[in-house]
């Protein structure tokens, strides 16, 4: 939140004073730029509902001219479909799904982070460089993790070494996490021959799956 938020009492009340103060903000922008903030709570329907409010002005505010976010690719994708209908650009700082690079499908989407193909290439190079005989890739059943798993598996197949990567899926549970279901998948992975595991899931779900305390 930057200094214009001082003129938005509701934002200051909800989120506190600006954490980045820009005293010499362009005078032409002053009073003409306003922020509207919502939290998806990692649930696609909540994120979509807020986005539709923003895009149509259903929240009693002026219709937006641009969107920043979201975090999860699985939430960004449906939101961008709606944003494209209203011809509103969306830029994400964290959504990495390779599918979002398809401009024919997501022409109004931009991002400041590389797609999964870059991360997948790094994972596969690690496997090759260290001569690991086999790895198990534990991934959540959502857009980001599935895309990453597919990219790594594709690289292994192209090298004629599909046997190097064994996928194990864990249900993606944003609203209510069933730890026992996740632990069952982890136990399945541990029962295999792999000694190295690659994780493809959001940080919060990864920590639960590994039985670590959340931040």
């Amino acid at each position: 939140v930057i200094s214009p938020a001082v003129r938005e009492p509701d934002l200051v009340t909800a989120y506190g004073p600006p954490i980045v103060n820009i005293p010499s903000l362009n005078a032409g922008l002053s009073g003409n730029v306003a922020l509207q903030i919502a939290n998806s709570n990692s649930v696609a329907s909540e994120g979509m509902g807020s986005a539709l409010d923003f895009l149509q002005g259903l929240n009693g505010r002026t219709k937006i001219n641009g969107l920043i976010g979201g975090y999860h690719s699985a939430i960004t994708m449906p939101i961008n479909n709606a944003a494209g209908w209203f011809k509103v650009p969306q830029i994400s700082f964290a959504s990495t799904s390779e599918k979002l690079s398809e401009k024919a499908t997501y022409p109004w989407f931009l991002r400041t982070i590389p797609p999964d193909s870059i991360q997948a290439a790094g994972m596969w190079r690690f496997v090759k460089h260290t001569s690991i005989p086999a790895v198990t890739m534990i991934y959540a059943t959502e857009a980001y993790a599935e895309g990453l798993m597919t990219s790594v598996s594709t690289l292994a197949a192209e090298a004629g070494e599909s046997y190097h990567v064994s996928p194990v899926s864990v249900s993606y549970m944003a609203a209510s996490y069933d730890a026992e279901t996740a632990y069952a998948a982890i136990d399945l992975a541990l029962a295999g021959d792999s000694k190295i595991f690659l994780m493809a899931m959001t940080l919060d779900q990864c920590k639960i799956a590994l039985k670590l305390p959340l931040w």
Side-chain angles (χ1 to χ4, degrees):
V1 180
I2 59 175
S3 50
V6 172
R7 290 181 286 277
E8 297 284 347
D10 54 334
L11 292 181
V12 174
T13 299
Y15 301 100
I19 58 175
V20 178
N21 187 42
I22 306 179
S24 58
L25 188 68
N26 189 314
L29 296 178
S30 181
N32 296 320
V33 177
L35 300 177
Q36 300 183 39
I37 300 175
N39 188 351
S40 69
N41 293 309
S42 298
V43 178
S45 59
E46 292 190 30
M48 190 65 179
S50 296
L52 289 174
D53 286 346
F54 292 161
L55 292 164
Q56 300 179 87
L58 299 179
N59 56 352
R61 305 285 298 276
T62 303
K63 295 179 183 179
I64 62 170
N65 300 110
L67 274 169
I68 298 176
Y71 177 78
H72 301 287
S73 295
I75 297 177
T76 295
M77 287 174 172
I79 288 178
N80 192 253
N81 286 330
W85 175 261
F86 290 96
K87 295 183 170 23
V88 171
Q90 177 183 9
I91 184 167
S92 173
F93 53 90
S95 295
T96 57
S97 173
E98 185 71 18
K99 292 182 178 180
L100 287 165
S101 295
E102 299 173 2
K103 286 303 179 184
T105 306
Y106 302 100
W108 291 86
F109 178 76
L110 301 165
R111 57 182 159 199
T112 59
I113 189 170
D116 292 333
S117 57
I118 306 299
Q119 184 180 1
M123 285 182 164
W124 178 243
R125 288 184 66 181
F126 167 77
V127 172
K128 292 292 292 179
H129 179 73
T130 54
S131 300
I132 298 172
V135 300
T136 295
M137 188 160 191
I138 304 170
Y139 69 96
T141 54
E142 50 88 25
Y144 156 67
E146 289 178 335
L148 187 58
M149 183 277 298
T150 299
S151 295
V152 172
S153 296
T154 298
L155 290 171
E158 290 175 348
E161 301 178 24
S162 296
Y163 56 86
H164 269 311
V165 182
S166 300
V168 172
S169 65
V170 177
S171 296
Y172 178 68
M173 299 166 279
S176 178
Y177 200 91
D178 183 352
E180 292 307 314
T181 297
Y183 296 162
I186 300 297
D187 289 340
L188 176 63
L190 292 173
D193 296 328
S194 300
K195 303 301 181 183
I196 302 296
F197 300 91
L198 303 178
M199 304 291 288
M201 57 183 66
T202 57
L203 182 61
D204 57 339
Q205 301 224 342
C206 183
K207 286 191 171 185
I208 295 175
L210 293 176
K211 303 182 182 181
L212 296 174
L214 286 171
W215 283 343

